[in-house]
Structures are given as C-alpha cells and as structure tokens.
C-alpha cells in the first residue's frame, strides 16, 4: 500500500481522508463501511466548495 500525502490543503478533505487510517485495524469486510464514510465526507467537502458565500464555484463545469 502506498503512503498518503501529509495533507491536501483543505481541512474538510483531510478530515475525510483521515478515516482511511483505520483500514489496517479492521477486517476487510468492514472496509466498505469506511469507504462509504470517507466518500460521504468528500461529497460534503465538494458541496461546501460549490456553495461558497460568494456564489463562485471552485469546481469547473463538466465538459459538454
């Protein structure tokens, strides 16, 4: 397994990815739940970036 970077520069993303640290302590059958929690945290961080107070999104629109 590769080492994760120290941080992404976004506290919300770092907090979500921090959940991956427990994988080595859990049976493989429990990994899905951890991945789902991490994914939910990343979705929340992305939604918060989209909902900035100034109305400008940090995420570009997908290509059409």
């Amino acid at each position: 397994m590769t080492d994760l970077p120290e941080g992404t520069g976004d506290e919300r993303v770092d907090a979500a990815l921090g959940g991956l640290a427990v994988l080595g302590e859990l049976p493989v059958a429990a990994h899905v739940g951890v991945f789902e929690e991490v994914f939910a945290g990343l979705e929340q961080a992305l939604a918060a970036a989209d909902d900035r107070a100034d109305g400008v999104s940090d995420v570009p629109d997908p290509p059409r």
Side-chain angles (χ1 to χ4, degrees):
M1 182 176 224
T2 61
D3 292 328
L4 294 174
E6 290 295 318
T8 65
D10 186 304
E11 292 179 18
R12 296 166 297 203
V13 173
D14 292 340
L17 292 177
L20 297 174
V22 301
L23 291 176
E25 303 167 10
L26 297 174
V28 173
H31 288 193
V32 171
V34 173
F35 294 142
E36 288 173 343
E37 287 180 29
V38 170
F39 183 72
L42 292 173
E43 281 185 316
Q44 290 172 355
L46 183 59
D50 282 344
D51 295 336
R52 287 186 7 199
D54 63 3
V56 177
S57 175
D58 290 341
V59 180
D61 291 332
R64 294 180 191 239

